[in-house]
């Protein structure tokens, strides 16, 4: 987004360098990455960085309200409520589209928010590889002023919370078969926290164990990466441990916050950085310009169930008693801002926070970016395209 830097980056780019970059990503940990990594990072200037921080602060102002839990109690489906909830989320992800406002200036618009971890390990890794293989100006930073060593120290501390790494697990369904497996592998490298399949967790009373080298190892803390909407669909799983059970563990990312900080929360926050959105149940009559709206199920992940081209019959088909579980949100018009060799590309920036115990507010610690030429950001809208996929932002220093 900084024109001079973009020109210099593109002038030094080559397909040969990109192929070497991808090979390095795949070979470093002996794991082939299953999602597309883009040809370039995003270089973000001071002015837009400050808008991102301002937008985040306005959202966080709502999350720290004393009545936040009471306002979001209905966000958690009763059958998916997990006991021993923490005071606040440990992780926060805010997804912003880059758009052009009415004055023609670029600004961020919130697309989604999550009280759930993201690719904290992989983003540190991929940023380093961009710097090794391509041009990156001095002083630009992807961890908001933290060095790589400081960042990894913060990540390790928040996942372990003083426990032996052996007694902390990264919990997922078939972790090494997930698209995010590379993140799990890197997280273990940084923190010592190993990925464990939820089907391999054993429960004895209120205590949990997993098997390592033929021995049962006690689990004291869980870094939760299980997405509930995937879990409930996996009726084939035979589990000894139900995620909603009352057990003697700490949560590094309590599952309830996945629901509390989500699409459910967006209609409650009023900000210039949040598009108009309402629960479907709040409408007495639907907008006449439905082509300018997108319909989102509240309890889905990664774009599942989203209807981008909404028609009134789609809304009529949803029973009245279920409409509180859907959000009608005004569409965002992404502004193509990244200059690729063959045209401009749209972008989305995810700011990633950690919220330490006893801290008043979350700490902005790293970021993720996604580039797109398609109608939406997701993979299915960008098949067979170049200069699209996962990336990272490097921010201009103040």
């Amino acid at each position: 987004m900084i024109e001079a830097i973009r020109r210099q980056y593109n002038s030094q780019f080559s397909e040969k360098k990109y192929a070497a970059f991808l090979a390095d990503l795949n070979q470093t940990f002996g794991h082939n990455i299953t999602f597309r990594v883009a040809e370039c990072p995003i270089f973000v200037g001071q002015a837009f960085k400050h808008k991102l921080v301002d937008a985040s602060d306005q959202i966080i102002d709502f999350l720290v309200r004393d009545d936040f839990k009471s306002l979001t109690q209905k966000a958690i489906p009763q059958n998916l409520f997990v006991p021993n909830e923490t005071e606040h989320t440990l992780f926060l992800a805010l997804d912003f589209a880059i758009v052009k406002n009415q004055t023609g200036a670029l600004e961020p618009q919130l697309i989604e928010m999550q009280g759930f971890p993201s690719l904290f390990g992989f983003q540190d890794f991929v940023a380093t590889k961009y710097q090794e293989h391509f041009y990156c100006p001095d002083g630009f930073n992807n961890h908001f002023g933290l060095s790589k060593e400081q960042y990894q120290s913060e990540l390790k501390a928040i996942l372990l919370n003083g426990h032996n790494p052996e007694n902390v697990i990264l919990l997922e369904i078939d972790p090494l078969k997930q698209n995010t497996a590379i993140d799990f592998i890197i997280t273990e490298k940084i923190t010592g926290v190993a990925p464990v399949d939820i089907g391999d967790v054993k429960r004895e009373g209120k205590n949990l164990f997993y098997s390592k080298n033929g021995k049962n190892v006690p689990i004291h803390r869980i870094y939760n990466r299980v997405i509930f909407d995937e879990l409930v669909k996996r009726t084939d799983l035979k589990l000894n441990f139900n995620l909603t059970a009352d057990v003697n563990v700490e949560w590094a990312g309590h599952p309830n916050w996945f629901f509390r900080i989500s699409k459910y929360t967006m209609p409650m926050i009023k900000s210039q950085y949040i598009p108009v959105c309402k629960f479907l149940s709040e409408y007495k009559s639907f907008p006449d310009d439905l082509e300018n709206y997108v319909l989102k199920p509240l309890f889905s992940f990664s774009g599942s169930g989203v209807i981008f081209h909404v028609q009134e019959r789609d809304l009529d088909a949803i029973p009245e008693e279920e409409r509180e579980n859907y959000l009608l949100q005004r569409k965002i018009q992404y502004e193509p801002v990244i200059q690729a060799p063959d045209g401009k590309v749209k972008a989305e920036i995810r700011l990633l926070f950690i919220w330490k115990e006893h801290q008043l507010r979350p700490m902005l610690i790293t970021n993720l970016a996604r580039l797109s030429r398609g109608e939406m950001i997701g993979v299915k809208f960008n098949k067979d395209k170049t200069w699209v996929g996962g990336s990272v932002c490097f921010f201009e220093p103040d």
Side-chain angles (χ1 to χ4, degrees):
M1 290 160 59
I2 301 175
E3 190 174 341
I5 294 174
R6 174 56 54 195
R7 283 199 304 268
Q8 188 162 354
Y9 182 93
N10 289 2
S11 70
Q12 296 183 16
F13 177 86
S14 71
E15 290 296 335
K16 184 177 180 180
K17 285 184 178 180
Y18 180 56
F21 164 72
L22 293 180
D24 196 0
L25 292 181
N26 290 326
Q27 292 168 9
T28 299
F29 294 100
H31 179 85
N32 288 330
I33 298 168
T34 54
F35 53 87
R36 193 178 197 283
V37 181
E39 283 83 344
C40 69
I42 303 175
F43 302 106
V44 180
Q46 290 180 10
F48 196 81
K49 177 176 71 172
H50 293 157
K51 287 182 180 180
L52 284 167
V53 171
D54 183 37
S56 300
D57 282 342
Q58 291 185 28
I59 294 162
I60 290 169
D61 285 343
F62 183 82
L63 302 184
V64 299
R65 283 175 47 160
D66 291 339
D67 60 351
F68 180 77
K69 279 196 174 185
S70 62
L71 289 171
T72 57
Q73 196 59 33
K74 289 184 179 180
I76 308 168
Q78 290 185 357
N79 64 318
L80 300 180
F81 183 87
V82 177
N84 306 311
E85 185 177 311
T86 52
E87 283 300 308
H88 52 68
T89 186
L90 190 65
F91 302 105
L92 175 64
L94 302 178
D95 287 0
F96 293 100
I98 301 175
V99 307
K100 188 175 281 187
N101 65 21
Q102 292 179 340
T103 68
L106 295 179
E107 72 172 22
Q109 281 285 298
L110 185 71
I111 295 298
E112 205 157 329
M113 55 197 299
Q114 299 170 15
F116 194 78
S118 191
L119 305 181
F120 283 92
F122 179 74
Q123 289 307 116
D124 176 63
F125 170 64
V126 76
T128 299
K129 292 305 178 184
Y130 274 122
Q131 291 170 315
E132 289 177 2
H133 288 268
F134 301 106
Y135 166 74
C136 187
D138 292 339
F140 279 61
N141 184 277
N142 58 301
H143 291 323
F144 300 96
L146 296 178
S147 68
K148 184 180 182 73
E149 292 72 27
Q150 289 170 326
Y151 171 79
Q152 291 189 359
S153 177
E154 292 280 4
L155 182 61
K156 185 174 182 178
I158 203 165
L159 291 192
L160 295 181
N161 196 33
H163 292 284
N164 186 318
E166 185 176 65
N167 301 118
V168 183
I169 64 166
L170 185 158
L171 188 68
E172 178 56 292
I173 304 165
D174 296 329
L176 297 184
K177 295 180 181 178
Q178 298 281 350
N179 279 338
T180 47
I182 183 63
D183 181 66
F184 306 157
I185 293 167
I186 296 168
T187 298
E188 182 175 12
K189 181 73 173 178
I190 294 172
T191 68
V193 176
V196 174
D197 182 80
I198 190 170
D200 293 333
V201 174
K202 303 168 186 177
R203 179 182 172 189
E204 296 180 9
K206 295 182 70 173
N207 298 318
L208 299 182
F209 303 85
Y210 72 104
S211 181
K212 182 178 181 181
N213 299 326
K215 295 182 179 179
N216 280 345
V217 179
I219 299 171
H220 297 157
R221 187 168 169 85
I222 295 176
Y223 177 33
N224 182 52
R225 299 297 294 264
V226 175
I227 301 296
F228 264 118
D229 63 340
E230 180 182 358
L231 183 62
V232 296
K233 292 172 185 174
R234 291 293 302 273
T235 55
D236 60 308
L237 296 177
K238 296 179 180 179
L239 304 180
N240 185 248
F241 162 56
N242 189 320
L243 206 59
T244 58
D246 185 2
V247 290
N248 294 327
V249 295
E250 294 177 6
W251 291 98
H254 193 284
N256 289 354
W257 289 101
F258 170 76
F259 296 109
R260 288 191 185 276
I261 300 176
S262 63
K263 292 184 284 290
Y264 186 93
T265 319
M266 286 180 62
M268 303 181 192
I269 310 174
K270 306 306 175 188
S271 166
Q272 71 189 80
Y273 300 113
I274 299 180
V276 173
C277 55
K278 290 169 64 175
F279 297 110
L280 194 59
S281 56
E282 294 179 334
Y283 284 93
K284 293 182 179 178
S285 60
F286 299 128
D288 294 329
D289 59 338
L290 282 176
E291 68 275 9
N292 293 320
Y293 288 81
V294 59
L295 181 69
K296 296 181 175 181
L298 292 180
F299 306 119
S300 69
F301 193 72
S302 299
S304 174
V306 172
I307 298 178
F308 193 70
H309 300 290
V310 183
Q311 299 187 45
E312 192 157 346
R313 64 172 179 266
D314 299 317
L315 307 181
D316 290 337
I318 300 171
E320 292 278 352
E321 63 272 15
E322 293 182 18
R323 291 184 180 182
E324 65 180 3
N325 296 325
Y326 288 83
L327 190 71
L328 198 59
Q329 177 181 317
R330 195 161 186 86
K331 281 181 183 175
I332 295 299
Q333 299 298 325
Y334 288 74
E335 181 68 17
V337 292
I338 310 300
Q339 182 64 61
D342 58 347
K344 288 195 171 182
V345 180
K346 305 168 189 175
E348 190 171 286
I349 297 173
R350 175 177 295 176
L351 298 185
L352 296 174
F353 300 75
I354 58 173
W355 196 344
K356 299 177 185 177
E357 192 175 356
H358 306 308
Q359 276 194 336
L360 296 179
R361 297 172 73 89
M363 171 186 177
L364 179 56
I365 193 169
T366 194
N367 78 92
L368 178 155
R370 294 188 292 178
L371 308 186
S372 173
R373 294 179 187 265
E375 190 173 39
M376 293 180 70
I377 292 291
V379 173
K380 66 181 179 181
F381 295 95
N382 287 282
K383 288 181 179 177
D384 305 319
K385 293 181 172 67
T386 59
W387 291 71
V388 298
S391 185
V392 67
C393 296
F394 292 104
F395 291 89
E396 184 179 18
D398 291 328

